[in-house]
Amino acid sequence: MLTQTDSKTLAYVNLFAVLGTLENLCELVPEAKDLLKDKPPISIGFTVKHGPKATLFFVDSCCHIEEGCSPCTIKLPFSSCEKFNGLMTGTVTPIPSKGFTKISFLLKTFVPLTDMLAKYLKPSQEDLANVAFRETSTKLTLYTAASAIAQVGNQDQSGKFSSGLMPDGDIAIDVTDVMGITLKIKDHHLTALRKPCDKPRAAMTFSNLEIARQLLNGEASAMACICNGSIAMRGMINMIDNMNRILDRVGQYLSV
Amino acid sequence: MTFPIYNYPKSQEVFKRAFKVIPSGIYGHQGPSEGCYIPHDAFPLFSSRAMGSHFWDLDGNDYIDYMCGYGPNVLGYRDPDVDDAALEQSKKEDCVTIPSSIMVDFAELLVDTVACADWAFFAKNGNDVTSLAVITARAATHRKKIVFFNSYYHGVSPWTQKLDYPGILEEEVCNNLYVNFNDYPALQKLFAEHKGEIAGLIAQPYMHGNFADNFFPDEGYWQKVRKLCDDHHVVLIIDDVRAGFRLDLAGSDHYFGFKADLICFCKALANGYNVSALCGNDSLKDVVSSLTYTGSYWMSAVPFAAGIACINKMKVLNTPKLFEKLGKDLTDGFVAAAKNNDFQLVVSGAPSLFYLRLADDDSLMLHQQWIAACVKRGIFLTSHHNHFINAALTHEDIKKSIEIAEDAFNALRHHSTSLSFNYHL
């Protein structure tokens, strides 16, 4: 167990897991879709020195993220992982190196979208009292956490130790009758796909969204939930075991 | 032949109470999580009594038990000879201010029985003595590093755990070195890279890890490892907690033709009575004397009496040979039952500690379905761990076990065509 986080892994988590969840926000939250309505296609590239590079594409009221940032409308360079992480905490204001004429999208669309995402990922108790909000918040948190598992498993010292013990194959992370996520493992490299798994080699299934919320918030233990049956596992349990060790570490990054 | 399907309402009721007052309800390897109860509700949660090779759960369901309490049941639950010896000793004394002389009798018996043993030190759990072995190696060599073989299990103390385990500090595992079993060149390289730094090498006698086929050392492997340890003045520790006395009453190092410096015993030592032992050669006796290492119950007399009776009875029965035969008869029957239903069951490891895996899918899901179907019909197996044979296992038990296995395979065959993974067969 490491007690410290590192800024490079945090940058990967922030870019691919947190900002990557804009994909799901635009899909699940009508207000997010409305913000993008009738907007021409636009893309924002993030390039972090000695860190991650990715592009967010906004097309037809939808969003998707891709690795790399060569074909983008707006380019946001960061001189270090710490600077990029500062963007996420609001302590750093980015200066585009490309796309000056599109700055209004950044200010009037992208910032409101990320504010909306933050509202769902760090919800107030008041918002959580609304059942629909609570469900969406949990879904978005689960997408973020699963994507963060891949980033932490690929970048973090402890995460790499865990992924180094994982055999090849796909893990299904499911909430019964609600949603599914795929975590692919190939040569100890992890990739999260925000869609259900076709042919899992291992599966971890939450009996309902509330159990997922409790686990992700640290209100419940995976081991205890497996013991009382509220989380089911099957298949290559060593894959699930190591994934859960990475998930423990993810909590340290997402709470930064 | 078809068998009735078990249900567990009483177990589940008690579990609800347990979950309120005990972490996870049942923590550790004898619970639903680490015990891989898949699916969760296919397994009994609490036992009510045990006898011979059977236990009965809280709902009265009868199991032929191939986990043997994860090893301690070596002669049969409630073996009369062991229980009588323990009862007689308990009438005299057990946990007293100074030890009973029966401790010396037990140590002498171990020294006479275990090939590499010149002395014995007693504790309670396997983890107590694997930890003592590592402390001894460090004290003897004034070095820090310990070599482990990947997929090892040596207990639960922080030094046995890993970097990514909750509550385990990096500093507690930073002197652990890892290498693959049977890869002698890699081990040589590791020793060369850390020349003068390695205190000990700790290993199970063969790889009986979880979730994977178990396998033996290559021909001559242990002899090369022994020489390498001698050349580098590294203490060679055999963790015989799991395999001890099931392969060879003189120790599993003896079985594989080499001599350990330190050897750890627990599970089969006293047929369920609570005692473990570290045995070693003379050169390390004074090192152990110098350590601060003790426990409140480590000199209890009753488990010593049980241990003496257990070892003597294992000698009379020649349990390693008996287990080899019983394990082979059982697993041959399982393999045939699988084949009759167009499945391929792979058996690995020693017959006395057999490991099972259905080779028909690479996810273990089919295997987990079959194991669950077996448990629900009355044979207690696990999907992730090696199994154990005990001396009370009868030919009737084996015959019934094979029939249950066949019934479970038959159910699996009828349900697996859709691969929908309905675990309730």
Side-chain angles (χ1 to χ4, degrees), chain A residues 185-251:
Chain A
I185 298 104
K186 176 71 178 161
D187 297 331
H188 311 294
H189 184 87
L190 311 186
T191 310
L193 304 178
R194 295 165 190 261
K195 62 177 189 178
C197 185
D198 293 332
K199 197 180 175 212
R201 201 168 179 215
M204 177 169 158
T205 308
F206 297 92
S207 56
N208 57 58
L209 270 175
E210 186 56 21
I211 293 295
R213 193 192 67 77
Q214 288 172 7
L215 180 78
L216 295 170
N217 285 353
E219 294 168 21
S221 133
M223 293 290 252
C225 289
I226 289 166
C227 282
N228 74 9
S230 55
I231 295 177
M233 57 178 184
R234 61 189 166 95
M236 296 288 283
I237 302 306
N238 51 347
M239 296 175 82
I240 306 278
D241 184 32
N242 283 294
M243 180 183 76
N244 280 332
R245 295 190 191 287
I246 302 174
L247 183 58
D248 279 347
R249 186 81 174 130
V250 161

Side-chain angles (χ1 to χ4, degrees), chain B residues 115-127:
Chain B
C116 71
D118 294 321
W119 50 266
F121 181 111
F122 299 108
K124 284 294 159 198
N125 284 296
N127 185 81

Side-chain angles (χ1 to χ4, degrees), chain B residues 243-264:
Chain B
F245 304 114
R246 278 189 162 88
L247 291 179
D248 187 331
L249 296 179
S252 298
D253 56 342
H254 183 258
Y255 181 83
F256 287 113
F258 71 103
K259 247 185 178 183
D261 295 316
L262 295 170
I263 189 163
C264 311

Side-chain angles (χ1 to χ4, degrees), chain B residues 155-178:
Chain B
V156 291
S157 285
W159 67 269
T160 69
Q161 302 204 29
K162 291 174 184 157
L163 176 69
D164 56 349
Y165 283 34
I168 302 304
L169 300 179
E170 187 179 16
E171 292 82 352
E172 290 171 315
V173 293
C174 65
N175 287 303
N176 294 1
L177 302 173
Y178 308 108

Side-chain angles (χ1 to χ4, degrees), chain A residues 1-2 157-158 161-162 165 200-203 223-224 226-229 233-238 242 245 248, chain B residues 15 19 24 26 32-34 36 38 40 162-170 211 362-365 368 421 423:
Chain A
M1 179 189 76
L2 299 178
Q157 183 194 348
S158 174
F161 185 90
S162 307
L165 297 171
R201 201 168 179 215
M223 293 290 252
I226 289 166
C227 282
N228 74 9
M233 57 178 184
R234 61 189 166 95
M236 296 288 283
I237 302 306
N238 51 347
N242 283 294
R245 295 190 191 287
D248 279 347
Chain B
F15 186 81
F19 200 73
S24 294
I26 309 170
S33 174
E34 288 183 42
C36 290
I38 302 170
H40 172 264
K162 291 174 184 157
L163 176 69
D164 56 349
Y165 283 34
I168 302 304
L169 300 179
E170 187 179 16
F211 303 109
D362 74 347
S363 72
L364 295 183
M365 292 184 192
Q368 288 157 354
F421 295 108
Y423 278 78

Side-chain angles (χ1 to χ4, degrees), chain B residues 96 131 167 188 197 228 257 265 282 305 316 345 368 394:
Chain B
V96 181
S131 294
Q188 266 185 315
E197 297 175 348
L228 190 68
F265 295 111
D282 255 336
V316 170
L345 184 69
Q368 288 157 354
T394 64

